[in-house]
Amino acid sequence: MNSDEVLRVKLEVLRREHRDLDEAIRALEEKGGASCQFTVKRLKKQKLGLKDRIAVIEDRLTPDIIA
């Protein structure tokens, strides 16, 4: 495997984690409750971190095109 293939696999794993967090957040928001709000806030922060990591990998995989 070359480095691009490794990055593509890592990207897919991160995207899957991001979707899983999204589903967990949605379920907790439907459940409601004060203790759930804290967990939702923590999960949203974790989701933002994943989004940043996804963006970094996507930037590395996308070639720079000089217009």
Side-chain angles (χ1 to χ4, degrees):
M1 262 188 177
N2 65 29
S3 63
D4 281 355
E5 291 171 340
V6 171
L7 286 176
R8 288 181 206 288
V9 170
K10 182 66 175 172
L11 183 60
E12 186 55 38
V13 169
L14 291 175
R15 285 179 177 160
R16 192 174 314 122
E17 288 179 28
H18 190 269
R19 281 191 302 270
D20 291 346
L21 281 174
D22 205 25
E23 291 174 14
I25 290 168
R26 198 174 309 116
L28 284 171
E29 286 176 336
E30 289 174 5
K31 183 179 176 184
S35 64
C36 289
Q37 288 178 350
F38 176 74
T39 305
V40 167
K41 191 173 188 177
R42 184 179 53 80
L43 291 177
K44 283 184 176 183
K45 188 174 182 178
Q46 190 176 356
K47 188 177 157 191
L48 282 173
L50 284 173
K51 185 177 177 183
D52 290 343
R53 290 170 58 193
I54 289 169
V56 168
I57 292 174
E58 288 174 337
D59 286 346
R60 289 182 65 188
L61 289 173
T62 305
D64 291 335
I65 300 174
I66 300 173

